[in-house]
Structure formats: structure tokens, C-alpha cells
Amino acid sequence: MSLERVTITIPGETLEAVKTAAEREGLSVSAWLSRAAERAAKIEAGLAAAEEAMAYVDPPTPEERAWVHAVMDDATRPADDCSRGAAA
């Protein structure tokens, strides 16, 4: 793998957050940003592939949409219902 030097401009608050995160993980700022950029690029590639694949399938039915919303609501529900049960 070849490395290339680049110059970037980011907000100061973002840079401070990056420095803190990199230090916490024992990485240089450069390594942390490189890893973050690689992850973001993979996400974008996945989204592009999903968008391309969607061209070959029919749109979801209202029932399928409702199921997806129910699953996502359940998956993203705060865990405080569980923590109250554990404390009792």
C-alpha cells in the first residue's frame, strides 16, 4: 500500500474531537483519519451498490414498509425499559 501526503481543512472543533479519539485509541491523527475515511468510503460504496440493486426489484409494498419500520423501531428503542426491569 502506498501512502500519499494530502492537505485537508476541517473545523477546529472537529480536529480537537479527532485528536481526542485518536489518542484514546492509541493512533496517530493521520492513522485515525485514514481509517475513518476508509470506513466512510466503504459505506458509500455499499449505498451505491444497494441503489444499483434496487433498480432491479419492485418497490416495497405498504405491508413490507410497515414491517421494516416496526423492526427498526424495535431495534432502535432505548434500552431504559430493560434497565428499569434489571434494577427492580
Side-chain angles (χ1 to χ4, degrees):
M1 167 176 54
S2 67
L3 299 177
E4 295 187 37
R5 182 177 296 270
V6 298
T7 301
I8 63 168
T9 304
I10 60 175
E13 305 83 34
T14 303
L15 179 57
E16 288 307 312
V18 167
K19 287 178 179 179
T20 300
E23 184 177 324
R24 185 176 58 248
E25 296 182 39
L27 297 172
S28 67
V29 169
S30 181
W32 194 94
L33 284 170
S34 180
R35 186 183 68 182
E38 182 179 1
R39 288 176 175 174
K42 286 179 180 179
I43 289 168
E44 289 300 320
L47 291 171
E51 187 175 304
E52 185 178 322
M54 291 304 293
Y56 297 99
V57 297
D58 292 329
T61 65
E63 293 81 15
E64 291 167 333
R65 284 182 185 269
W67 177 82
V68 168
H69 287 291
V71 168
M72 293 306 295
D73 286 345
D74 188 49
T76 59
R77 182 175 296 115
D80 54 301
D81 288 337
C82 296
S83 62
R84 275 187 269 156

